[in-house]
């Protein structure tokens, strides 16, 4: 957003500050300034001169010697080769020691302009130079009266006199400030909005344009009807009619203001729409009423496949998401973006239809991008305009029509506004604002700031009414920000934050995950991450039957390909793929783990989001076996308060695991996970030959069962008694069965037990194995007698004998 300071002064006339002071203050009040440019930065000692006499140069056919009145006691002599000047012309003159702008194309060569010095031209002294409009830093686009190649001549109506500042007379003594306006401050995308900010910043009176009632005794409804079919995309549409049009040039002040914004003057009608768009931030559009079929405007969506030719002569392909302005028969404009070639305003126009509306910003942005058609109007609408702005801008444009004698405004206005936007009312809470800011601003001072911003205070209700153009003020914190920026951010004292003391720590489930990571990484495992998107072929590779619940998956509607077309229901595929990759790259050992979600649909087809369940997947090969992995899991469960509470139940339920080397990990009736050796056929499906071992832990269950409620027990005061048992049994008996007996029979006196040997060999009968345990017994209140321990051992052996287990001889 660019704003010339001269235009701001039209509404803040007391704004008497330098460009540097303006930029510094407006930045501190919250308007981010990108930079500013002095339009006269390379123009020095340029005055208005009047040619008194012209004589032929004595030694050059194409040069003349002029005596020029510059308002001094004596005229100055200037030699020129300009062909368009004559005696009596009033022209800009740069004097000795002055500077002019570089000609276009030479800006890089002369970034600081060109200095003019007096000197002799073919033997005749010249004390300065007459200037063309390009040498004054502008062009014929903004000063069309300037000659194409020659000296600029002031029109007789300009009112300038010799000695005046020529730069000021041409309106080139201005400063244009460039801002970065945030999307929440839509009101600042206009000259009036920035003038209001400047007035509040410098505490100066703000004088917005006074819009007077316009229109003759006729009724606009006799000329035009308006129907808005899609009010969600067009919350407000206003229209007025102007007849007996007189197209001509705009007044000089309007041309200069538009030029300061980089807008070239076209004619009075076009200039008025551009002027109001810059002044109010409200785009407008003009139609030739004679081209409007049925004298009716219909605002509706386009139809898929429609084609439309815009004012730039380009044919556009439309769809149902593009909002169109139509008449009784056809489309005549793309709403908020560009009008149509079939309703363009020409010099033959006699009756004009003015449109000022509010369109949905998101729709305009998407339509503009879809059509590859970016315009100033579309940019404004994209920000989300205040619907109440439309009628203000419309009436302002009609007022300018009348003031400039450009036509006769028809009385009344067509205003389709089914759901008016009302001002917001917010409570005035100065104590809360001060507490939030860490300030001690008095309520009266706060109200003074709000008054400068256009907010009104209701003393009885203690509320503030926010004008609709301030769409960013919605709560107490927003009001506090307004106080802060006008009180002065630099004045806010440094203070410590206030609040209750809190203990920072991770959520419980994240603490459990952190412990798991520490234990796994301490045992040599590395963390990984696998894709949640998988291929349906995974289930065949894992030998899952056709009716397996794992095959009930969430299908992705726009997959990258078949290999990423479903959400995983089992976390094993990614782990096996990673193990296979390591094995095939000749890594002898791999130990990996992953925390990742599986996605379990509650019903198919989907009626609600699937359940996302976190799984800890562990995989390894090359260094260790089933029992090594089981030991890691026991260390993990012990650390989580489940010591001695988890059992490993043999199973054949999981087809992707070896049928004789898999077990469920349970606590009571709760299934925590599964552990086992990967089925050799599954390993073949993943193209690697190593014996792999995996475990899958259900983290929500593990988190629910875990506990850090550990009670301190003092150092034992009485000695313990240790016994070893060496047992012989069938190979089919699991050590877990033995341990259950030891725990059951050991009772409270059993302090610990440990398996320290497993043997199969020549000294053991075929089909048998030997296992050896060491057990420690201790009483807290006394020294155990041998007979007490013997009694427990006998009880253990008696129970083991029921399983066919004997003491090894």
């Amino acid at each position: 957003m660019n704003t010339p300071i001269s235009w701001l002064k039209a509404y803040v006339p007391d704004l008497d500050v330098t460009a540097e002071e303006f930029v510094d203050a407006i930045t501190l009040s919250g308007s981010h300034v990108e930079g500013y440019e002095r339009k006269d930065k390379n123009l020095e000692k340029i005055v208005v001169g009047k040619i008194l006499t012209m004589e032929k140069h004595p030694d050059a056919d194409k040069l003349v010697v002029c005596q020029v009145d510059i308002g001094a006691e004596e005229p100055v002599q200037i030699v020129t080769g300009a062909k368009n000047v004559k005696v009596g012309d009033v022209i800009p003159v740069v004097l000795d020691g002055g500077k002019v702008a570089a000609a276009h194309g030479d800006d890089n060569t002369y970034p600081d302009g060109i200095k003019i010095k007096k000197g002799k031209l073919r033997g005749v002294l010249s004390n300065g130079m007459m200037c063309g409009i390009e040498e004054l830093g502008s062009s014929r686009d903004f000063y069309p009266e300037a000659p194409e190649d020659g000296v600029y001549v002031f029109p007789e109506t300009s009112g300038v006199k010799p000695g005046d500042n020529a730069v000021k007379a041409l309106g080139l003594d201005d400063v244009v400030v460039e801002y970065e306006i945030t999307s929440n401050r839509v009101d600042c995308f206009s000259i009036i909005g920035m003038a209001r900010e400047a007035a509040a910043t410098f505490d100066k009176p703000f004088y917005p344009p006074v819009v007077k009632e316009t229109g003759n005794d006729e009724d606009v409804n006799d000329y035009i009807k308006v129907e808005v079919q899609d009010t969600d995309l067009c919350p407000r549409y206003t229209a007025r009619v102007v007849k007996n049009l007189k197209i001509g040039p705009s007044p000089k002040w309007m041309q200069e203001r538009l030029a300061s914004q980089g807008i070239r003057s076209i004619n009075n009608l076009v200039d008025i729409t551009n002027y109001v768009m810059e002044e109010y931030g409200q785009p407008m559009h003009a139609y030739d009423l004679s081209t409007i079929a049925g004298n009716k405007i219909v605002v509706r969506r386009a139809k898929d496949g429609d084609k439309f030719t815009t004012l730039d002569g380009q044919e556009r392909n439309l769809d149902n998401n593009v909002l169109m302005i139509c008449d009784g028969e056809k489309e005549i404009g793309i709403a908020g973006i560009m009008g149509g070639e079939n309703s363009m305003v020409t010099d033959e126009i006699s009756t004009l239809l003015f449109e000022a509306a509010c369109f949905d910003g998101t729709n305009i942005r998407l339509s503009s991008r879809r059509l590859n058609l970016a315009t100033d109007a579309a940019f404004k609408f994209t920000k989300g305009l205040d619907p109440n702005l439309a009628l203000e801008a419309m009436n302002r444009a009609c007022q300018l029509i009348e003031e400039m004698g450009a036509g006769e405004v028809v009385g009344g206005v067509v205003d389709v506004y089914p759901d008016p936007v009302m001002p917001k009312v917010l409570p005035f809470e100065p104590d809360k604002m001060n507490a939030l800011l860490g300030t001690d601003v008095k309520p009266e001072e706060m109200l003074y700031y709000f008054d400068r911003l256009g907010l009104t205070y209701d003393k009885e209700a203690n509320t503030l009414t926010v004008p609709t153009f301030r769409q960013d003020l919605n709560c107490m914190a927003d009001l506090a920000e307004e106080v802060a920026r006008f009180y002065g951010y630099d004045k806010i004292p440094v203070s410590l934050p206030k609040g209750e003391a809190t203990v920072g720590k991770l959520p419980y489930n994240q603490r459990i995950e952190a412990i798991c990571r520490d234990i796994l990484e301490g045992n040599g495992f590395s963390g990984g991450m696998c894709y949640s998107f998988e291929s349906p072929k995974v289930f065949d590779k894992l030998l899952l039957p056709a009716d397996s619940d794992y095959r009930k998956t969430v299908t992705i509607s726009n997959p990258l390909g078949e290999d990423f077309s479903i959400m995983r229901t089992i976390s094993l595929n990614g782990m096996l793929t990673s193990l296979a990759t390591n094995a095939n790259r000749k890594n002898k050992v791999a130990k990996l783990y992953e925390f990742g979600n599986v996605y379990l649909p509650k019903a198919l087809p989907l009626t609600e989001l699937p359940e996302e369940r976190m799984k800890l997947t562990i995989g390894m090969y090359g260094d260790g076996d089933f029992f090594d992995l089981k030991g890691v899991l026991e260390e993990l469960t012990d650390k989580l308060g489940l010591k001695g509470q988890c059992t490993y139940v043999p199973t054949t339920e999981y087809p992707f695991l070896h049928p004789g080397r898999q077990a469920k990990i349970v606590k009571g009736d709760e299934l925590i996970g599964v552990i086992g050796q990967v089925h050799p056929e599954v390993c073949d499906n993943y193209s690697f030959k190593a014996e792999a071992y995996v475990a899958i832990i259900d983290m929500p269950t593990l988190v629910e069962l875990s506990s850090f409620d550990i009670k301190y027990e003092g150092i034992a005061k009485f000695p313990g008694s240790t016994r070893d048992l060496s047992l012989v049994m069938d190979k089919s008996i699991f050590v877990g069965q033995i341990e259950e007996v030891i725990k059951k029979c050991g009772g409270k006196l059993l302090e610990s037990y440990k398996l320290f040997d497993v043997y199969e060999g020549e000294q053991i009968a075929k089909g048998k194995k030997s296992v050896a345990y060491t057990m420690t017994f201790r009483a807290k209140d006394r020294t155990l007698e041998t007979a007490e321990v013997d009694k427990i051992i006998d009880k253990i052996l008696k129970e083991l004998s029921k399983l066919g287990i004997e003491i090894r001889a």
Side-chain angles (χ1 to χ4, degrees), residues 644-701:
Q645 301 178 39
C646 294
T647 56
Y648 293 76
V649 181
T651 183
T652 58
E653 182 178 331
Y654 302 96
F656 45 80
L657 297 177
H658 192 294
R661 299 173 186 172
Q662 58 177 276
K664 294 180 179 179
I665 308 168
V666 298
K667 179 190 176 186
D669 296 331
E670 296 285 347
L671 176 64
I672 297 175
V674 61
I675 180 176
Q677 179 183 338
V678 180
H679 197 292
E681 187 175 340
V682 173
C683 289
D684 288 341
N685 291 339
Y686 283 88
S687 303
F688 77 109
K689 303 297 183 182
E691 289 187 358
Y693 299 89
V694 296
I696 304 174
I697 305 299
D698 185 62
M699 289 305 297
T701 303

Side-chain angles (χ1 to χ4, degrees), residues 517-747:
R517 284 191 176 91
D518 288 344
I519 291 173
L520 289 167
E521 290 170 7
N523 282 278
F525 288 81
S526 299
M529 182 178 294
C530 302
Y531 291 115
S532 296
F533 298 166
E534 292 187 334
S535 168
K537 299 175 183 177
V538 164
F539 306 122
D540 294 332
K541 295 173 70 174
L542 294 176
L543 308 180
L544 293 170
D547 60 349
S548 172
D549 286 342
Y550 289 119
R551 292 181 181 265
K552 298 176 181 178
T553 62
V554 177
T555 303
I556 299 168
S557 60
N558 55 342
L560 299 174
E562 185 184 4
D563 290 343
F564 303 95
S565 60
I566 61 171
M567 304 295 291
R568 66 178 178 179
T569 56
I570 183 170
S571 59
L572 195 56
N573 173 66
M575 179 58 67
L576 293 179
T577 301
S578 298
L579 293 177
T581 301
N582 279 273
N584 293 328
R585 292 180 180 176
K586 309 303 181 183
N587 290 328
K588 296 181 179 180
V589 177
K591 293 182 175 182
L592 304 172
Y593 74 89
E594 180 209 8
F595 285 98
N597 287 338
V598 295
Y599 303 85
L600 309 175
K602 299 172 184 177
L604 289 176
L606 286 177
T607 57
E608 57 181 313
L609 292 176
E611 178 186 6
E612 299 184 29
R613 203 161 182 89
M614 176 69 73
K615 299 289 184 178
L616 167 59
T617 309
I618 308 171
M620 57 181 281
Y621 73 81
D623 183 14
D625 54 18
F626 178 94
F627 296 102
D628 291 299
L629 183 55
K630 178 173 177 284
V632 173
L633 293 179
E634 287 178 338
E635 181 182 351
L636 190 153
T637 52
D638 289 352
K639 185 71 173 179
L640 298 178
L642 299 175
K643 185 174 183 179
Q645 301 178 39
C646 294
T647 56
Y648 293 76
V649 181
T651 183
T652 58
E653 182 178 331
Y654 302 96
F656 45 80
L657 297 177
H658 192 294
R661 299 173 186 172
Q662 58 177 276
K664 294 180 179 179
I665 308 168
V666 298
K667 179 190 176 186
D669 296 331
E670 296 285 347
L671 176 64
I672 297 175
V674 61
I675 180 176
Q677 179 183 338
V678 180
H679 197 292
E681 187 175 340
V682 173
C683 289
D684 288 341
N685 291 339
Y686 283 88
S687 303
F688 77 109
K689 303 297 183 182
E691 289 187 358
Y693 299 89
V694 296
I696 304 174
I697 305 299
D698 185 62
M699 289 305 297
T701 303
L702 182 64
V703 170
E704 182 180 353
L705 296 176
S706 63
S707 172
F708 296 114
D709 185 17
I710 301 173
K711 296 181 180 179
Y712 169 76
E713 292 186 3
I715 298 174
K717 296 180 180 180
F718 299 94
S721 178
T722 303
R723 299 291 178 90
D724 292 342
L725 281 180
S726 182
L727 307 169
V728 178
M729 67 201 75
D730 290 337
K731 287 183 179 181
S732 60
I733 297 176
F734 295 101
V735 293
Q737 296 173 268
I738 301 172
E739 293 173 358
E740 286 296 321
V741 172
I742 293 174
K743 289 189 289 182
K744 179 180 176 182
C745 298

Side-chain angles (χ1 to χ4, degrees), residues 84 160 195 236 239 254-255 335 371-372 435 484 492 503 520 633 708 747 804:
N84 68 306
V160 296
R236 190 177 195 182
M254 180 174 283
Q255 292 185 29
L371 297 172
N372 192 26
I492 297 177
V503 178
L520 289 167
L633 293 179
F708 296 114

Side-chain angles (χ1 to χ4, degrees), residues 246-537:
K246 298 176 183 177
I247 296 179
S250 301
K252 195 64 179 177
W253 63 267
M254 180 174 283
Q255 292 185 29
E256 289 179 356
R257 288 184 182 177
L258 291 175
S260 67
Q261 285 289 81
I263 300 174
R264 182 170 59 90
S265 175
I266 305 296
N267 58 50
N268 47 9
L269 294 182
V270 176
D271 290 355
I272 285 172
T273 59
N274 287 332
Y275 184 85
V276 172
M277 181 173 71
E278 296 300 320
E279 185 178 43
Y280 279 82
Q282 170 67 54
M284 299 184 65
H285 192 69
Y287 300 96
D288 185 342
L289 187 61
S290 65
T291 65
I292 307 299
N295 282 34
K296 183 177 182 180
I297 292 291
V298 180
V299 184
R300 60 167 175 81
R301 294 173 183 266
K303 298 175 182 178
D304 290 331
D306 280 357
K307 296 182 182 297
F308 181 72
T309 303
T310 47
L311 281 171
D312 56 2
Q314 298 294 316
E315 187 177 71
R316 311 286 175 176
N317 296 317
L318 309 177
D319 59 43
N320 187 248
N321 293 312
V322 179
L323 189 67
M324 301 298 294
I325 308 298
C326 310
D327 61 17
E329 298 175 354
K330 61 188 180 298
E331 294 149 331
I332 59 174
I334 303 176
I337 300 178
M338 185 178 283
E341 191 176 54
N342 56 5
S343 63
M344 66 186 300
V345 173
T346 65
D347 290 344
E348 287 72 35
I349 186 174
S350 62
T351 305
L352 180 77
L353 173 66
F354 257 144
E355 165 196 286
C358 182
F359 301 112
D360 179 73
T362 301
N363 177 264
I364 296 298
R365 175 176 59 83
L366 295 175
S367 296
S368 176
R369 182 179 299 177
R370 193 180 300 112
L371 297 172
N372 192 26
L373 183 57
T375 61
D376 289 341
F379 174 78
K380 299 281 187 184
F381 281 119
T382 294
K383 303 304 178 182
L385 298 184
D386 173 19
N388 292 326
L389 190 65
L391 187 57
E392 293 182 39
M394 172 65 78
N395 291 335
R396 173 62 166 164
C398 290
Q399 179 186 22
L400 291 171
I401 289 281
E402 289 193 348
E403 289 179 353
M404 293 164 53
E408 180 183 354
V409 179
V410 174
V413 59
V414 178
D415 188 4
V416 181
Y417 195 12
D419 189 16
V421 175
M422 304 303 293
K424 294 184 287 286
V425 178
L426 300 177
F428 177 52
E429 302 169 306
D431 292 338
K432 288 185 179 181
M433 295 183 202
N434 277 323
L436 179 65
L437 298 173
T439 56
D440 190 21
V441 182
K442 295 180 180 179
E444 296 79 11
E445 190 174 354
M446 291 183 182
L447 291 174
Y448 182 66
Y449 298 149
F450 294 138
D451 180 65
R452 284 157 55 183
L453 291 168
L455 281 68
T456 56
Y457 176 61
D458 185 334
K459 186 174 182 180
E460 292 185 3
N462 194 36
T463 57
L464 290 164
T465 300
V466 182
T468 56
F469 61 78
R470 287 304 301 270
Q471 301 178 37
D472 59 310
L473 301 183
N474 298 294
C475 62
M476 181 276 295
D478 294 333
L479 296 175
E481 183 182 7
E482 299 301 293
V483 172
R485 66 193 190 99
F486 289 108
Y487 174 73
Y489 290 112
D490 55 327
K491 297 179 183 178
I492 297 177
V494 177
S495 60
L496 293 174
K498 297 179 181 179
E500 298 178 357
T502 58
V503 178
K505 61 181 180 181
L506 292 173
Y508 187 76
N509 65 313
Q510 292 186 20
R511 292 167 60 196
I512 299 296
E513 291 177 16
I515 290 172
C516 294
R517 284 191 176 91
D518 288 344
I519 291 173
L520 289 167
E521 290 170 7
N523 282 278
F525 288 81
S526 299
M529 182 178 294
C530 302
Y531 291 115
S532 296
F533 298 166
E534 292 187 334
S535 168
K537 299 175 183 177

